[in-house]
Amino acid sequence: MRSAHNIKGGARSIGISEVGRISHCAETLFLALKDGTAPVTSDVTDLCLEAVDRIKQAMESFEEENDLNFDIEDLITRLETASDGDAPIAPPAKSAEQEEPPTEASTEASTEPEPKLEPKPEPEPEPKVSAPEEKTAVQQAPEKSAPEKKSAATKGGESIRVAIEKLDQIEAIVEELQSAKIEIDDFVDELKKLHAMAQDIDIAAFAPTGIPGSGLELGSLPFEDVREGTEKIYKNMRARARNLGVVLSSLMYETRNLRLVPAAGLTRPLVRSVRDIARQMNKKVSFNASGEDTEMDRVVLEMLNDPLVHIIRNAIDHGVEEPTIRKAAGKPEVGEINVEFQLVGSRIQITVKDDGAGVNIERVRQKAIEKKIISEAEANDLQKAEILDLIFHPGFSTKDIITDVSGRGVGMDVVRTNLNALKGSVFVDSEDGVGSTFTLQVPLTLATENGLIIRSGGQIFAIPVGAVDRVVDLTTEEMVDVEASQALLLDGNPVPVRYLSGLLGIEQISAQAPNQLPAVIIASGWRRAALVVDEIIARREMVVRPLREPLNSVRNVSGGTILSGGVVIVLNPGDLMTAVSQVSASLRVDIDSADGEAGESRPSVLVVDDSLTTRTLVKNILEASGYDVSVRVNGLEGWEALAESDFDLVVSDVQMPIMDGFELTDKIKTSESYGEIPVIIVTSLANDEDKQRGLDVGADAYIVKGEFETRILLDVVNQLI
């Protein structure tokens, strides 16, 4: 009400009568709502929002010296009717142009008549309000909900407004300083090596009379001075570099804070968007946001706008059901969309959750086949997470009818594209009838980050640490054949293995590789891939510089950084993940194995587990490592198998029908015939009592499935056989 009062006064003072009339009537309506003489209904709220939109239109018409493109008299009449408490208020034929974030829905101007109106006097009496005296718009401007183009720096309670361009210049200088600091660290490392070389000089190795032909006697050689000098310089340089790092970190922190804006600038405009889209689709939706005080870089916040709008729009259209359907399903008529912002390490995590119908997995599968995104054979092999990921494919939509809200198949593709540009990721999970959850992760700032420095194809590259799941050494024991390609069994799931050099289209590594190859496991959402490299060098802080046109669209590259005085290409994990799925499956990683001669008998292992998944996983791991494996589904069958064949090892679950793993282990260890056979228990029972019981019955090892890793199992097996 106070804002309407101030806008009215400012508009009248500079002669914008249309804005003054609308804001005056809006102020009167707000007063009636405040006093309770007019009811608060959805139609009244729509009318208030329309009045705000019309004020913006009237202002634009005044600035451009154009006639109004809406019927102001109709609007004034409806506002006055609502102020008198009369209901209902009939909505106009076409709503005002909406000042919302861009969506696929095109906004259209009103089709109502456009009369040419002359300025009219304001005879209406002033409403009784508790607002202060009228001030001009310059004296009291309403706060902006979107990120402003100015930033305030405070000191002692006072503030000044600084142009964004100046902040950009300061941050650029800080980044240059950070690059210089990184180079100083490199020089300190080189000085350390030089100091170590000086310490290793063997004076006695020279001739007793000194260096031949030099004219220097042994006693006059300044070897000790060299050692002491290099040590002193090294220690001083290391101390100065450390101090510089502390000061620079503080400077960078404070500089970044000047650019940080709260997430509220992103969520507040969404309230209007959610309301308009929901009413357009005859749905009832409650929009809630938490963590709005979480701050992030202004650039990151602005680039998050489109992805967030698309996700929310799809949640309303595809997720939230109509009120009658929700009521029949035992749900509240009003659906909920919750957005949560939180800082996780150096990244911002945004969770968008709805309580709608969820994603129909089978429908997504069939639509992907219809649109020839995947073949029917490929679709049958996909897991739930892989099927859900198809919704981000360009051109994908489950809508049978294209509407102004959805169905064109461009929305979710925009989400992934924009997040890749932000070096972020998106992951979706859904439960039928319960709802869907989208989890987005983006960096707090795009300026500096940590990078994993690697060598591939003889060249140096950097991979953002935020996309690195782990670093491993590949061996034949961990490799399995998947169709015509190879994969690494990681946490029980196959992860595709590719040469990084092959993905980048540079010189391939020789097919004959050593017994172990370094590999970087990168992750994007639920997807992971193992990239084989020549060498993993170090983890370094880096200032990433984006490439300029025409290089800004180079695949697999997100920018460059300066390390050790040279330019290092920073790779784009999102593009690399896409390349992994597109590279021919014939790209294989060949690792020489030192496990025995051809024809040599292989150790035999008995796996006893009633779970098909665990049984098959353990069998594949052991067979890939050169073991002969037999499987049984319960303890009794396992005991009978021992009488039929000779085994070097038994791997058993605990919870099984007929005879559990503890009983089987006890029978084996108390038997004269099989007592020497090692037994490994692999189970989900993780409490101390169960572990103690496993030891009591004689188990040689106890592995908890929650901690299960291929490496752990193979290490234990190799120790026991």
Side-chain angles (χ1 to χ4, degrees):
M1 185 174 65
R2 178 172 297 179
S3 296
H5 184 78
N6 290 333
I7 291 173
K8 177 185 67 176
R12 286 178 173 179
S13 67
I14 56 177
I16 313 177
S17 59
E18 292 86 355
V19 173
R21 293 184 65 198
I22 297 173
S23 56
H24 169 76
C25 292
E27 180 187 13
T28 305
L29 176 55
F30 292 149
L31 178 61
L33 296 175
K34 174 177 177 291
D35 294 341
T37 58
V40 180
T41 66
S42 294
D43 289 334
V44 170
T45 304
D46 285 341
L47 182 61
C48 293
L49 293 172
E50 182 189 355
V52 173
D53 290 337
R54 296 306 190 191
I55 288 175
K56 294 178 181 177
Q57 284 184 263
M59 191 65 213
E60 291 174 358
S61 297
F62 175 80
E63 290 176 336
E64 298 172 2
E65 299 182 354
N66 294 329
D67 295 334
L68 293 180
N69 60 354
F70 63 90
D71 188 346
I72 189 172
E73 298 301 334
D74 172 72
L75 176 63
I76 295 297
T77 300
R78 288 187 285 118
L79 286 169
E80 291 175 344
T81 302
S83 301
D84 294 337
D86 296 335
I89 306 298
K94 181 77 71 171
S95 63
E97 290 185 346
Q98 300 170 353
E99 296 295 328
E100 63 176 62
T103 67
E104 291 177 358
S106 59
T107 56
E108 299 179 7
S110 172
T111 57
E112 298 174 356
E114 301 179 1
K116 296 182 179 180
L117 302 175
E118 297 296 330
K120 296 182 179 181
E122 295 287 330
E124 300 91 335
E126 294 290 331
K128 296 179 180 180
V129 297
S130 57
E133 293 299 320
E134 292 181 358
K135 298 180 180 180
T136 65
V138 175
Q139 290 173 316
Q140 180 162 340
E143 292 183 0
K144 297 180 180 180
S145 59
E148 297 190 18
K149 294 185 178 180
K150 302 274 184 177
S151 175
T154 62
K155 181 180 180 180
E158 299 180 356
S159 65
I160 59 173
R161 300 180 71 83
V162 181
I164 284 293
E165 291 75 12
K166 293 184 178 179
L167 288 181
D168 290 339
Q169 294 173 2
I170 293 174
E171 192 164 30
I173 294 172
V174 173
E175 290 179 9
E176 291 293 343
L177 185 58
Q178 173 68 4
S179 298
K181 193 265 179 184
I182 292 174
E183 292 184 359
I184 289 175
D185 288 339
D186 292 336
F187 295 148
V188 171
D189 290 340
E190 293 296 325
L191 187 57
K192 180 180 179 181
K193 295 177 183 178
L194 181 61
H195 171 59
M197 292 174 60
Q199 295 297 319
D200 292 338
I201 295 177
D202 186 3
I203 301 177
F206 295 104
T209 57
I211 300 178
S214 68
L216 295 174
E217 298 296 330
L218 184 59
S220 64
L221 291 177
F223 282 119
E224 291 301 327
D225 293 341
V226 171
R227 288 175 175 174
E228 293 176 1
T230 55
E231 182 175 8
K232 182 178 180 181
I233 294 174
Y234 167 64
K235 289 182 177 180
N236 287 335
M237 284 291 293
R238 184 178 60 182
R240 299 298 185 275
R242 187 180 296 115
N243 292 338
L244 176 60
V246 172
V247 174
L248 182 58
S249 296
S250 299
L251 178 60
M252 292 177 63
Y253 177 79
E254 296 298 337
T255 305
R256 286 179 192 163
N257 281 348
L258 294 176
R259 297 180 61 92
L260 298 183
V261 291
L266 189 61
T267 56
R268 287 174 183 168
L270 290 176
V271 177
R272 175 71 184 276
S273 299
V274 170
R275 176 184 173 83
D276 291 340
I277 296 173
R279 290 183 68 80
Q280 179 182 349
M281 305 186 67
N282 297 318
K283 295 181 179 181
K284 297 180 179 179
V285 179
S286 171
F287 177 77
N288 306 298
S290 58
E292 293 178 289
D293 56 344
T294 303
E295 293 185 321
M296 67 186 81
D297 193 301
R298 177 183 57 87
V299 176
V300 175
L301 182 135
E302 290 176 351
M303 293 182 68
L304 270 176
N305 183 69
D306 280 354
L308 203 55
V309 168
H310 283 297
I311 289 176
I312 292 175
R313 186 183 62 234
N314 276 271
I316 299 173
D317 188 20
H318 295 275
V320 177
E321 310 95 331
E322 294 181 0
T324 54
I325 298 177
R326 292 181 61 86
K327 190 173 182 180
K331 295 182 177 181
E333 290 187 358
V334 180
E336 284 192 3
I337 296 179
N338 298 301
V339 178
E340 180 184 11
F341 294 83
Q342 57 182 349
L343 181 63
V344 181
S346 61
R347 299 177 74 81
I348 300 295
Q349 179 170 296
I350 306 101
T351 305
V352 183
K353 186 175 183 179
D354 68 73
D355 65 346
V359 179
N360 189 319
I361 300 296
E362 188 56 35
R363 183 169 177 79
V364 172
R365 188 200 307 267
Q366 293 302 322
K367 281 292 183 180
I369 296 173
E370 289 177 15
K371 295 179 179 292
K372 301 186 184 304
I373 295 174
I374 56 174
S375 66
E376 189 168 356
E378 291 173 329
N380 293 332
D381 294 333
L382 295 180
Q383 302 297 319
K384 176 183 176 181
E386 296 172 307
I387 296 174
L388 287 172
D389 193 66
L390 292 173
I391 67 176
F392 297 104
H393 194 282
F396 182 85
S397 175
T398 57
K399 277 286 188 180
D400 294 322
I401 301 175
I402 296 177
T403 69
D404 58 349
V405 176
S406 65
R408 296 182 173 91
V410 298
M412 302 312 290
D413 176 37
V414 169
V415 171
R416 174 152 287 174
T417 301
N418 286 23
L419 288 174
N420 284 344
L422 277 172
K423 304 170 192 171
S425 61
V426 58
F427 172 78
V428 58
D429 190 21
S430 182
E431 186 174 350
D432 190 27
V434 177
S436 302
T437 301
F438 287 81
T439 303
L440 295 73
Q441 281 200 341
V442 294
L444 177 64
T445 178
L446 299 179
T448 60
E449 61 181 306
N450 287 321
L452 186 67
I453 312 303
I454 55 94
R455 178 180 288 106
S456 180
Q459 300 182 36
I460 304 296
F461 298 98
I463 301 176
V465 168
V468 176
D469 181 76
R470 68 189 75 176
V471 174
V472 299
D473 285 328
L474 288 181
T475 63
T476 51
E477 290 84 358
E478 299 166 310
M479 303 290 291
V480 294
D481 287 333
V482 179
E483 296 180 350
S485 185
Q486 287 179 304
L488 166 69
L489 283 176
L490 203 61
D491 302 329
N493 298 311
V495 174
V497 178
R498 298 289 186 269
Y499 281 122
L500 177 59
S501 56
L503 299 182
L504 300 177
I506 59 180
E507 181 182 357
Q508 293 281 353
I509 299 176
S510 171
Q512 295 299 324
N515 186 46
Q516 290 187 338
L517 288 178
V520 180
I521 310 298
I522 62 171
S524 178
W526 64 268
R527 301 180 300 168
R528 290 188 294 181
L531 305 181
V532 178
V533 299
D534 301 349
E535 180 186 2
I536 296 172
I537 300 174
R539 171 174 171 159
R540 297 293 300 272
E541 187 175 21
M542 57 186 184
V543 177
V544 181
R545 302 287 190 184
L547 300 182
R548 299 183 181 275
E549 293 183 355
L551 302 177
N552 53 353
S553 297
V554 176
R555 287 181 304 169
N556 304 320
V557 175
S558 61
T561 186
I562 304 295
L563 293 178
S564 301
V567 177
V568 174
I569 294 297
V570 180
L571 301 178
N572 187 321
D575 287 355
L576 291 177
M577 193 64 71
T578 302
V580 167
S581 61
Q582 296 175 346
V583 167
S584 170
S586 62
L587 180 60
R588 298 177 59 85
V589 176
D590 298 320
I591 302 179
D592 294 335
S593 175
D595 297 335
E597 299 292 336
E600 181 182 347
S601 61
R602 303 194 298 174
S604 180
V605 179
L606 173 64
V607 176
V608 186
D609 199 311
D610 64 329
S611 168
L612 174 62
T613 302
T614 304
R615 194 168 63 240
T616 304
L617 172 63
V618 175
K619 181 176 184 292
N620 290 339
I621 292 173
L622 295 175
E623 285 184 340
S625 302
Y627 297 100
D628 284 326
V629 182
S630 298
V631 295
R632 297 293 187 272
V633 297
N634 59 62
L636 180 59
E637 289 189 10
W639 175 254
E640 294 172 348
L642 289 172
E644 299 170 359
S645 304
D646 294 330
F647 292 98
D648 299 297
L649 178 76
V650 175
V651 179
S652 176
D653 186 21
V654 171
Q655 297 174 311
M656 297 181 293
I658 306 178
M659 181 188 294
D660 65 25
F662 288 145
E663 295 176 34
L664 174 61
T665 303
D666 185 56
K667 287 181 69 68
I668 293 174
K669 290 301 182 179
T670 57
S671 167
E672 294 183 1
S673 303
Y674 315 122
E676 299 298 325
I677 299 177
V679 178
I680 301 175
I681 291 180
V682 179
T683 177
S684 59
L685 301 178
N687 58 62
D688 294 336
E689 291 79 5
D690 290 315
K691 292 180 180 179
Q692 184 59 47
R693 186 180 176 190
L695 296 176
D696 292 342
V697 296
D700 296 273
Y702 193 104
I703 300 176
V704 180
K705 288 182 180 178
E707 304 169 353
F708 178 82
E709 289 187 7
T710 300
R711 172 70 65 185
I712 294 175
L713 176 63
L714 292 174
D715 286 345
V716 174
V717 171
N718 291 333
Q719 291 175 17
L720 296 177
I721 295 184

